[in-house]
Amino acid sequence: EIYTLSLHDALPISVISEKKLPSVYDTQELIQILAGINTTTLIGKRDYAILIILMTYGLRVKDLIELKTENIDFQHGYISFKQSKTGMPYCAELLPTVKDALESYLSETNPLLENRRLFYSTQAPYQPLSRGAVWSIVSGRIHSAVVADGRHQGPHAIRSSLASGLVSDNVPYPIVQKILGHTDPNATKRYVAIDIEQLRKCSLECPVATGKFLSYLEGGEWK
């Protein structure tokens, strides 16, 4: 008796999808991206402020576009807000490079307005930036400064770059988790997969070939 097997029966019930590694840019590439921005114009000052905030704090895009003037305390030197994804408070030191970039940008807008969004379009009707607008800004600045080589070019790639850099600098996971605003520790640990130098320390020595395998390596036949 002949049995036939359909292709449907031969396929596995479930297929484990490939986990893609985060796209990251190294420190030199991030410097190139910032260096490529003309900060003598309003649009350049705005874009530079956006990029330097993303590179320094790794903010989510929604948190970035919802930043208001009241979230920046220039007098006491900190940035604070409630994270949109987790609802948890975020507070960090307003580092000099970020402070200077924001002051330069706000000097050409109207920083006296209370409770207003920080980042707007530079042309009428001067609307607050959307997520898509920020993605276009970041993508455009990356594309014009470095070779992406198939890597993502949006704000999340900048966030991933910060995380990867912290992990490679041996910053403890709990601190990286706090900086990124992760509530799940495993979300932070995924960045170790792209830290090749750290992974090398975990590798095992390759065992010495013996027997049939050694014979095969020396040009023999596998029997």
Side-chain angles (χ1 to χ4, degrees):
E1 186 176 357
I2 300 176
Y3 294 92
T4 59
L5 184 65
S6 68
L7 181 60
H8 177 271
D9 295 329
L11 292 175
I13 297 176
S14 62
V15 178
I16 300 176
S17 59
E18 179 184 359
K19 294 183 178 180
K20 296 183 178 180
L21 295 176
S23 294
V24 298
Y25 296 86
D26 61 33
T27 302
Q28 186 56 44
E29 289 176 315
L30 296 177
I31 292 174
Q32 287 179 233
I33 294 168
L34 292 176
I37 302 175
N38 178 8
T39 55
T40 63
T41 65
L42 174 58
I43 190 171
K45 292 179 179 182
R46 181 202 63 187
D47 292 1
Y48 187 93
I50 288 173
L51 265 298
I52 198 69
I53 287 176
L54 291 174
M55 292 179 185
T56 303
Y57 304 111
L59 299 190
R60 298 180 178 92
V61 177
K62 186 171 178 56
D63 290 332
L64 176 79
I65 63 176
E66 292 184 353
L67 281 179
K68 299 177 180 179
T69 52
E70 65 181 15
N71 298 127
I72 312 297
D73 190 330
F74 288 101
Q75 181 178 358
H76 300 97
Y78 64 84
I79 175 174
S80 62
F81 58 90
K82 184 167 73 172
Q83 298 178 83
S84 57
K85 185 174 183 178
T86 64
M88 300 295 292
Y90 180 97
C91 185
E93 179 184 355
L94 186 64
L95 297 179
T97 52
V98 179
K99 180 175 181 290
D100 292 344
L102 284 173
E103 287 181 336
S104 177
Y105 163 63
L106 292 175
S107 68
E108 296 201 28
T109 60
N110 190 350
L112 299 179
L113 293 176
E114 295 183 359
N115 204 33
R116 56 152 280 178
R117 296 281 183 89
L118 276 181
F119 299 113
Y120 278 73
S121 60
T122 56
Q123 297 179 344
Y126 305 107
Q127 296 294 325
L129 293 184
S130 64
R131 296 174 65 136
V134 172
W135 191 95
S136 295
I137 289 169
V138 175
S139 176
R141 294 300 182 179
I142 292 175
H143 180 74
S144 64
V146 299
V147 179
D149 289 329
R151 290 173 289 179
H152 293 297
Q153 301 175 38
H156 196 269
I158 303 298
R159 177 175 167 87
S160 298
S161 300
L162 173 64
S164 174
L166 293 172
V167 170
S168 64
D169 287 340
N170 295 317
V171 175
Y173 282 135
I175 295 179
V176 179
Q177 179 184 349
K178 183 176 181 180
I179 292 173
L180 297 179
H182 286 156
T183 55
D184 180 6
N186 292 323
T188 305
K189 291 181 179 180
R190 69 189 294 258
Y191 293 103
V192 76
I194 53 180
D195 186 3
I196 302 301
E197 294 307 314
Q198 292 294 332
L199 290 175
R200 291 186 196 279
K201 299 176 182 179
C202 304
S203 63
L204 300 176
E205 291 292 335
C206 182
V208 178
T210 58
K212 294 181 180 180
F213 185 53
L214 176 59
S215 176
Y216 175 74
L217 293 177
E218 292 176 344
E221 296 182 1
W222 184 263
K223 298 180 179 181

